[in-house]
Amino acid sequence: MTVWSQLVGQTEAISVLSTAATAAAELVDGTGTAAGMTHAWLFTGPPGSGRSVAARAFAAALECTTPGGIGCGECQGCHTAMSGTHADVRMVVPEGLSISVAEMRALVQTSARRPTGGRWQVVVITDADRLTEGAANALLKAVEEPPPRTVFLLCAPSDHPDDVSVTIRSRCRVVALRTPSAAAIAEVLQLRDRIDGETATWAASVSSGHVGRARRLATDPAARERRDKVLRIPINLRRLSDVFDAADDLVSAAEADAGQVSGTRDEVEKDALKTALGAGGTGKGAAAATRGSAGAIKELERRQKSRATRTQRDALDLALVDLAGFYRDVLVTSSGSTAALNHPDHATSSRQAAEKWTQESTLRRLEAVLACREAIEINVKPRIAVESMITQLYMG
């Protein structure tokens, strides 16, 4: 399997990227020109379309060492780039709410070096929409005057100025990814993850084109249970007291997700830092190092708190997307449309809701969910935003 096998339903993008990788290889070998290759790329597409996967696959193809096998998936360059261990491929995966200017300046400085063992110095920024203004300006300077053997790969939901600044966007070649079909997702779940056909087909049909979500639903019973619980909320809002119960369930589930992801990792990181700073050691030097470690530990705790907040928001947003999909299914059902449902396994519930609610009240409920997503994105307290939303879902 080549590195392009990781991309699901992206035939056009694969064609563009493989052509560019070939041109890049010829440029390094001195056998061709830079036609088809550029120093900065922007991968856009809806959640789950595979933006970071495409960037990683392209990075692997640029580092491929097999003659004529651009992105062969078998050589050391491909293996290390795909696994994240290649010395010349730097993955910037923001764990907190944003990418700071200090982090970006350090990265830009590193990217100016020549490749140590590979063919290109590749910088992959998986969430370029989280760049602060200062970080974006620091990146812009590098993109304006790039080193000769450095490539920047940026990933963002779109090329809108709210996601990527106009000045950075103007210096990048855009690769727009599309939402993969349910059939393509089911196929990759069966071939790559060895999931049985029935489960793969179901997971693909309810994932809204999100490959990672489909895989998690197919393999994680807890994820399936959380999804079912969220989709039962609209039908179970019978009394005003149900509003607060449902809000508590949503927020608590998001907090539990964040705790599950961060808890063990936080302790390991803190223990490793304390050890590096001399904890448990003896002698004057170790004692002095330990006394001066408070600032470093405090900074680590700050980053961990930011990561937990981001994880909680992402988990809650996923639940809100499921809710929005349910109300969309109600509108589809009440209008008699033949469009595919987001949640076909909950078709009975959406049909019952369509018989009970008017289209106007359903649309108001959908708008309440979307407004809640926007409120959380601008730092409204999740519990307040969710309680307000569910009150509107109850009132209609």
Side-chain angles (χ1 to χ4, degrees):
M1 297 176 64
T2 68
V3 297
W4 310 115
S5 302
Q6 303 290 329
L7 284 174
V8 181
Q10 308 294 347
T11 307
E12 294 179 3
I14 291 174
S15 176
V16 170
L17 295 175
S18 58
T19 299
T22 301
E26 293 174 349
L27 184 64
V28 171
D29 296 335
T31 59
T33 64
M37 180 59 187
T38 187
H39 70 284
W41 297 74
L42 175 61
F43 296 85
T44 65
S49 57
R51 300 187 298 258
S52 60
V53 175
R56 192 187 294 269
F58 187 38
L62 292 175
E63 305 292 5
C64 184
T65 57
T66 300
I70 304 302
C72 67
E74 301 293 335
C75 68
Q76 184 180 7
C78 287
H79 272 301
T80 54
M82 292 300 291
S83 64
T85 59
H86 197 291
D88 294 321
V89 178
R90 285 167 175 77
M91 297 291 298
V92 182
V93 184
E95 297 179 331
L97 302 178
S98 62
I99 302 175
S100 68
V101 61
E103 183 179 1
M104 188 50 57
R105 284 173 178 167
L107 182 71
V108 167
Q109 188 175 22
T110 303
S111 69
R113 303 170 184 168
R114 290 184 60 82
T116 57
R119 302 165 70 82
W120 295 88
Q121 187 81 252
V122 184
V123 177
V124 181
I125 304 176
T126 60
D127 293 282
D129 52 309
R130 296 189 192 177
L131 289 166
T132 63
E133 183 178 356
N137 290 335
L139 175 64
L140 176 61
K141 293 178 182 179
V143 173
E144 284 179 330
E145 300 177 4
R149 294 277 290 278
T150 298
V151 180
F152 294 93
L153 309 180
L154 282 60
C155 306
S158 72
D159 58 1
H160 190 276
D162 286 345
D163 290 331
V164 180
S165 70
V166 175
T167 49
I168 291 179
R169 157 66 183 86
S170 65
R171 289 161 175 80
C172 298
R173 182 174 180 182
V174 178
V175 178
L177 304 180
R178 61 183 183 181
T179 301
S181 66
I185 295 175
E187 181 180 2
V188 78
L189 290 179
Q190 294 178 69
L191 296 178
R192 185 183 66 190
D193 301 307
R194 300 293 186 267
I195 296 170
D196 66 272
E198 183 178 355
T199 302
T201 301
W202 168 79
S205 70
V206 302
S207 66
S208 301
H210 195 302
V211 181
R213 180 86 195 282
R215 185 177 184 276
R216 187 173 183 184
L217 288 172
T219 58
D220 186 356
R224 295 195 291 269
E225 183 179 349
R226 283 194 294 270
R227 171 180 172 272
D228 286 337
K229 196 170 185 178
V230 168
L231 293 177
R232 286 196 296 268
I233 288 176
I235 299 300
N236 291 340
L237 290 176
R238 301 185 180 93
R239 301 179 301 275
L240 186 58
S241 60
D242 294 334
V243 169
F244 301 100
D245 292 339
D248 186 65
D249 287 344
L250 266 181
V251 176
S252 297
E255 291 174 346
D257 265 3
Q260 183 179 4
V261 171
S262 303
T264 304
R265 184 177 178 184
D266 287 354
E267 289 302 318
V268 171
E269 288 178 344
K270 189 175 292 186
D271 289 343
L273 178 59
K274 288 180 178 178
T275 301
L277 293 173
T282 59
K284 296 180 179 179
T290 302
R291 286 195 299 271
S293 65
I297 293 175
K298 187 175 181 179
E299 174 61 20
L300 174 63
E301 290 173 344
R302 185 195 66 77
R303 294 200 307 269
Q304 290 175 340
K305 183 179 179 181
S306 178
R307 179 173 65 200
T309 300
R310 182 76 257 174
T311 304
Q312 179 184 346
R313 287 187 182 181
D314 289 346
L316 186 55
D317 189 67
L318 188 58
L320 296 177
V321 169
D322 281 339
L323 269 181
F326 178 85
Y327 289 111
R328 180 260 185 193
D329 287 352
V330 175
L331 289 173
V332 168
T333 302
S334 62
S335 66
S337 171
T338 58
L341 300 180
N342 280 26
H343 306 291
D345 54 339
H346 285 259
T348 300
S349 295
S350 57
R351 184 168 57 253
Q352 291 173 352
E355 294 170 354
K356 182 180 178 181
W357 304 333
T358 65
Q359 290 187 342
E360 290 79 6
S361 67
T362 302
L363 187 57
R364 285 195 295 270
R365 289 178 168 96
L366 175 57
E367 289 173 342
V369 177
L370 300 180
C372 182
R373 293 186 69 196
E374 292 179 358
I376 292 174
E377 190 62 30
I378 60 174
N379 292 327
V380 174
K381 290 288 186 181
R383 189 171 295 275
I384 294 175
V386 170
E387 287 180 354
S388 174
M389 174 195 71
I390 296 184
T391 299
Q392 294 178 67
L393 300 184
Y394 170 73
M395 300 295 291

